[in-house]
Amino acid sequence: MHLSRRNLIASAALAATPRAPRHREQLRTGFERLAADGYSLLKGRRVGIVTNPTGITRNTDHIVDVMHQDPRVKLTAVFGPEHGFRGTAQAGGSQGRYDDPATGLPVYDTYLKSGQTLAGVFTAAGVDTVVFDIQDVGARFYTYIWTLYDCMEAARLAGTRFVVLDRPNPVTGREARGPVLHKEFASFVGRQPIAQAHGMTVAELARLFNGEFLNKSVALDTVLMSGWQRSDPYDASALPWVPPSPNMPTPDTALVYSGTCMFEGTNLSEGRGTTRPFELLGAEGIDGRWAAAANELALPGVRFREAYFAPTFSKFEGRTVGGVQIHVTDRAAYDPVRTGIALLVTAKKVWNGFAWRSDHWIDNLTGSARVRTMIDARASTDEVTGAWQDELAAFRRTRKEYLLYT
């Protein structure tokens, strides 16, 4: 076809005009997709659900209340994890067995139960399908993913189906970071060898657990999200944030948690009893030298501010302590585990009162004795983080097989 000069100019202008961005699909959680499908996956089943206050819809209704009122679902029991189904218990606590006042449903306690004991709870509840819907925060030592693991194993022993309703990893799912658990250090803050910041959703973890760690696979169904990408931070989801536990008040807390929770294994405050837990760290006798030493490392995506605070409970209750506040300046560049190691290394360097908890809880959190012993030997941040790179690379290869989102 012959084109005049005018047509050529018009065509060039059209080609140069930026295209309107494609409309981004709104994220829908696993529960939203299950409900939109009329709960067909649960049709004719006696359903029990493992959940907590994070199991909500977009308009903040709890999914237990929604399902209880829907005649298409035969919801017969609720199973509460650490902190309880309605979330009234502090760290290391649960709500026990009771009847939920809002629905009349029996609520069973799963906390610290596993194996045949937990299978017996499912059997006593009379369910043939167990559903899991809890918001995770992306760290190996956050106990809800091990509640998931224990419940999957118990469901297999009890002969029940297991359904996982997926939710976002609030700190993105770009990559795994940190040391991998050594099996001899297995506990409820790490049952199996995964990375400290695993970079997976709960549905992906369920598939990993089923394929790699359970002696025999459970009958597993996963209801995936739509509209979620691995690089999405939580605020991209437009979902309301409900604290998954009392000291996880915001997505900002989750962002730093996989690194600064390691301070639970020390005599420093990890910020419990403040309005910024895990972002504020400190102890009596620490001054501005800690923030200065940490800033000298020029860690990517983060700065440290000299801070003073008085926790209302936990370590140093009612006493003013000095330390740092973490300010993440670039979420994409920030590495929470490396940052946590750097803060441990510099705290020991500038404060002669630094000590590990006498029970070596740090070993449970990091998955081996290596972090503790290397820092005691005055290893640098690079030396400590370099020591786990081979095992992390192996975990990343395994993890890749179970990823469900791009």
Side-chain angles (χ1 to χ4, degrees):
M1 180 179 68
H2 176 70
L3 289 175
S4 67
R5 183 173 181 276
R6 178 179 294 178
N7 287 337
L8 282 169
I9 293 172
S11 297
L14 181 62
T17 302
R19 294 183 179 181
R22 296 172 62 183
H23 177 68
R24 176 75 182 271
E25 179 187 5
Q26 183 186 51
L27 183 145
R28 293 200 300 167
T29 65
F31 176 78
E32 288 175 317
R33 297 190 68 204
L34 177 75
D37 190 44
Y39 303 101
S40 61
L41 192 61
L42 306 181
K43 184 177 181 180
R45 315 294 297 191
R46 291 178 57 82
V47 178
I49 185 163
V50 184
T51 191
N52 72 353
T54 66
I56 60 168
T57 65
R58 189 170 297 275
N59 64 358
T60 72
D61 292 329
H62 199 282
I63 63 171
V64 166
D65 301 327
V66 173
M67 296 171 76
H68 176 67
Q69 296 169 6
D70 197 313
R72 295 173 295 180
V73 185
K74 192 171 185 179
L75 186 60
T76 59
V78 181
F79 304 103
E82 183 181 7
H83 308 295
F85 159 48
R86 296 289 186 183
T88 63
Q90 265 288 348
S94 58
Q95 291 177 313
R97 166 71 178 89
Y98 68 101
D99 290 337
D100 178 44
T103 62
L105 290 168
V107 179
Y108 298 85
D109 186 10
T110 71
Y111 183 48
L112 299 181
K113 295 181 176 66
S114 61
Q116 288 290 353
T117 300
L118 186 53
V121 173
F122 291 160
T123 300
V127 300
D128 58 33
T129 298
V130 176
V131 175
F132 182 95
D133 190 352
I134 292 178
Q135 177 64 60
D136 182 39
V137 300
R140 183 184 62 231
F141 33 61
Y142 209 53
T143 62
Y144 297 138
I145 62 172
W146 304 114
T147 294
L148 168 66
Y149 178 84
D150 289 342
C151 287
M152 288 176 65
E153 182 179 46
R156 180 186 65 80
L157 293 170
T160 66
R161 291 171 64 223
F162 202 85
V163 179
V164 177
L165 308 181
D166 214 6
R167 290 185 180 269
N169 183 325
V171 296
T172 79
R174 282 191 296 260
E175 59 182 300
R177 301 176 187 269
V180 175
L181 176 82
H182 295 189
K183 286 284 287 184
E184 63 268 29
F185 290 87
S187 70
F188 194 45
V189 292
R191 294 273 196 238
Q192 296 292 346
I194 66 173
Q196 189 163 309
H198 51 72
M200 303 177 78
T201 70
V202 288
E204 291 172 335
L205 282 168
R207 295 180 71 245
L208 174 73
F209 294 162
N210 218 27
E212 300 292 329
F213 302 136
L214 291 176
N215 289 330
K216 293 183 180 179
S217 297
V218 67
L220 175 67
D221 290 298
T222 54
V223 184
L224 306 188
M225 297 173 285
S226 60
W228 187 72
Q229 297 179 1
R230 305 205 74 81
S231 59
D232 286 347
Y234 193 82
D235 52 17
S237 72
L239 293 170
W241 177 262
V242 174
S245 56
N247 293 288
M248 194 64 60
T250 71
D252 290 341
T253 321
L255 186 61
V256 303
Y257 176 76
S258 61
T260 54
C261 183
M262 291 187 286
F263 279 83
E264 285 188 355
T266 74
N267 63 338
L268 283 82
S269 167
E270 64 276 8
R272 292 180 186 273
T274 76
T275 58
R276 306 300 290 189
F278 303 105
E279 296 175 66
L280 285 168
L281 308 167
E284 289 181 317
I286 296 181
D287 57 25
R289 288 175 294 174
W290 188 19
N295 282 323
E296 283 178 7
L297 298 176
L299 298 172
V302 65
R303 291 287 295 174
F304 307 96
R305 181 183 69 84
E306 178 184 355
Y308 298 88
F309 56 96
T312 59
F313 63 88
S314 193
K315 300 172 185 173
F316 303 105
E317 179 179 349
R319 291 140 64 188
T320 298
V321 301
V324 299
Q325 182 176 0
I326 298 171
H327 294 269
V328 176
T329 58
D330 183 344
R331 289 184 294 194
Y334 175 64
D335 182 337
V337 182
R338 180 180 176 81
T339 300
I341 294 295
L343 287 168
L344 289 169
V345 168
T346 51
K348 186 174 180 65
K349 179 180 178 181
V350 304
W351 183 49
N352 59 13
F354 180 94
W356 305 107
R357 259 174 53 171
S358 60
D359 60 359
H360 288 168
W361 183 242
I362 186 67
D363 298 354
N364 295 83
L365 294 171
T366 60
S368 76
R370 178 177 49 207
V371 166
R372 173 176 55 83
T373 57
M374 289 188 72
I375 291 177
D376 281 347
R378 302 293 178 174
S380 68
T381 300
D382 286 343
E383 288 170 332
V384 176
T385 58
W388 64 59
Q389 293 305 313
D390 288 346
E391 64 192 40
L392 177 59
F395 172 73
R396 285 172 172 169
R397 289 191 294 270
T398 301
R399 166 186 177 268
K400 188 174 180 179
E401 299 178 30
Y402 297 98
L403 301 183
L404 299 166
Y405 307 91
T406 57

